[in-house]
Amino acid sequence: MPTLKFAVLPGDYIGPEVMSEALRVLAHVAKKEGLTLDYQHADVGGAGIDNHGKALPDSTLALCQQADAILFGSVGGPKWEKLPPKEQPERAALLPLRKAFNLFANIRPGLLYSDLTDASPLKTARIPNGIDIVCIRELTGGIYFGQPKTTTKLENGEEQAIDTMVYKTSEIERIAEVAAVTAKARGKKVCSVDKANVLETSVLWRRVVTAYFAKHHPEIALSHMYVDNAAMQLARDPNQFDVLFTENMFGDILSDEMAVICGSLGMLSSASLGTGKNSLGLPFGLFEPAGGTAPDIAGKGIANPCAQILSAAMMLRYSFGLDAVADKIEAAVRLAVATDGVRTGDIAFGKPAVGTKAMADAIIARL
Ligand code: IPM
Ligand code: MN
């Protein structure tokens, strides 16, 4: 029996609530498919600060290092907002985790089922069949990590802060490869987003991406777009894109925009893949929902577990090579939500809303 060894980092507020439902779905799938689940829980984010004095405790990092993948919940919230920015759960847990495992490739599907177009702030006429795009974001370079990154006092008494945007060829090429492979399995179209009319890093980005696709993936239709235009085009006509591909900070912003036009954050999963291979020879990855900790609804049992469940499906696909099983989970979520009309409050639109557990039950029923 294949064994799936992964670390479970539920995090804060709704994190643990949706995580336990994703684990219930995984347990069901494992039984049906003859898979053995081998996972352990660890504190991260606010829970790490409260229980270990650190957003990313050493014991949590050690557990992740022994695993083949990380199933992550969400971190942060009002309880820790008064801490210095560098110590806050999001920055002090997620960024070091990405760096520690070289998780350079962030894959965020922008998927809106055709039966859920109501959930999008876009006019339904613009997206009659829903939305189906993917954002590939570089995740360990650019202005997030470049040095120097400092705040200093100038001689005249003013303060000055510096962030540095850096990219080198190899960093651009390896994420270009992820965009190309993703596009090959879809519409064979990649739009690379940059700000080459202003930024040196973008001039290099565009040049390297153009050469890389010409040499290695000539069959893919590659286009380029400035990031300001891309933000506008995403709101105007999202389905003109197939794979949106960009650097770290642009990807942060565009993927949130993509998330909101796809309706509820409660539906959006993500994968962050590393340079490292796990013990199965597959990419080590961190899999997390995009929606955050939703402190306002935490503890009420009403959070949408779909994004966490879909993130678990991505884990099976990328870090365990179980595409067919991932397909089944994704299909079950679609059937439960779209066909059966079982909806949590965020996607109910007049239908009676069910709670977190009932949503997961409906997905399990479809499995
Ligand atoms: C994301 C988040 C993170 C980021 C924050 C929490 C550090 O916004 O995953 O998109 O900026 O990358
Ligand atoms: Mn973000």
Side-chain angles (χ1 to χ4, degrees):
M1 275 219 260
T3 297
L4 313 187
K5 189 170 181 186
F6 57 99
V8 174
L9 275 47
D12 310 316
Y13 291 103
I14 67 159
E17 296 172 36
V18 292
M19 183 65 85
S20 47
E21 298 312 312
L23 292 172
R24 213 152 60 80
V25 170
L26 281 177
H28 179 84
V29 166
K31 205 166 150 205
K32 283 198 74 168
E33 305 284 335
L35 306 164
T36 304
L37 299 182
D38 173 10
Y39 61 81
Q40 280 184 57
H41 284 75
D43 288 327
V44 73
I49 295 172
D50 290 353
N51 300 333
H52 310 264
K54 230 166 131 181
L56 181 60
D58 298 342
S59 51
T60 299
L61 191 57
L63 180 75
C64 295
Q65 270 153 354
Q66 285 153 25
D68 287 322
I70 304 169
L71 190 58
F72 195 92
S74 309
V75 295
K79 188 168 179 204
W80 307 280
E81 259 163 18
K82 296 213 167 65
L83 290 172
K86 276 187 189 162
E87 288 168 33
Q88 289 190 12
E90 295 91 326
R91 207 165 141 185
L94 263 183
L95 299 187
L97 261 178
R98 289 174 185 168
K99 208 57 182 174
F101 293 101
N102 278 315
L103 302 173
F104 72 95
N106 184 227
I107 304 172
R108 296 187 172 178
L111 188 63
L112 174 67
Y113 305 146
S114 53
D115 319 57
L116 264 184
T117 48
D118 274 6
S120 176
L122 297 190
K123 289 200 181 84
T124 306
R126 296 193 166 204
I127 42 165
N129 304 312
I131 299 171
D132 184 0
I133 62 180
V134 181
C135 180
I136 305 287
R137 166 188 174 194
E138 201 291 326
L139 203 60
T140 48
I143 202 164
Y144 271 57
F145 294 98
Q147 293 296 334
K149 194 176 195 65
T150 53
T151 307
T152 48
K153 249 216 162 76
L154 299 176
E155 272 170 21
N156 70 1
E158 277 193 276
E159 279 192 294
Q160 174 175 278
I162 302 177
D163 291 290
T164 308
M165 196 160 188
V166 200
Y167 272 107
K168 54 185 177 205
T169 312
S170 54
E171 283 176 295
I172 301 169
E173 286 181 339
R174 68 185 183 184
I175 189 76
E177 177 64 20
V178 176
V181 169
T182 307
K184 270 192 191 165
R186 303 176 38 97
K188 299 183 178 52
K189 244 170 70 175
V190 171
C191 180
S192 172
V193 174
D194 62 39
K195 188 72 186 171
N197 50 350
V198 176
L199 300 176
E200 282 298 306
T201 42
S202 283
V203 173
L204 181 69
W205 180 280
R206 193 176 280 218
R207 185 151 52 77
V208 170
V209 167
T210 304
Y212 190 84
F213 275 76
K215 182 161 177 211
H216 300 282
H217 303 286
E219 72 284 18
I220 299 222
L222 173 70
S223 61
H224 303 274
M225 200 180 272
Y226 295 141
V227 63
D228 47 354
N229 186 25
M232 183 178 72
Q233 295 300 334
L234 203 46
R236 212 180 57 81
D237 176 19
N239 286 314
Q240 74 182 275
F241 300 109
D242 176 31
V243 174
L244 255 182
F245 158 52
T246 191
E247 69 88 42
N248 202 345
M249 188 169 65
F250 299 160
D252 179 44
I253 299 166
L254 290 179
S255 63
D256 261 32
E257 186 185 345
M258 182 186 76
V260 77
I261 63 167
C262 288
S264 174
L265 288 174
M267 296 301 295
L268 289 160
S269 55
S270 83
S272 301
L273 305 180
T275 46
K277 297 272 183 266
N278 62 23
S279 75
L280 307 163
L282 292 162
F284 181 91
L286 179 150
F287 303 86
E288 61 173 328
T293 55
D296 53 323
I297 58 162
K300 297 186 178 159
I302 58 170
N304 185 347
C306 288
Q308 188 76 62
I309 292 165
L310 292 168
S311 298
M314 286 187 103
M315 175 176 83
L316 300 188
R317 182 182 304 285
Y318 289 104
S319 286
F320 295 106
L322 297 167
D323 286 277
V325 186
D327 287 346
K328 286 183 193 170
I329 296 176
E330 287 166 2
V333 173
R334 185 189 279 266
L335 288 167
V337 169
T339 308
D340 303 338
V342 180
R343 309 271 176 86
T344 43
D346 55 323
I347 49 171
F349 302 105
K351 290 207 163 64
V354 306
T356 310
K357 284 204 156 45
M359 185 73 245
D361 283 339
I363 294 165
I364 290 171
R366 275 298 188 170
L367 279 163

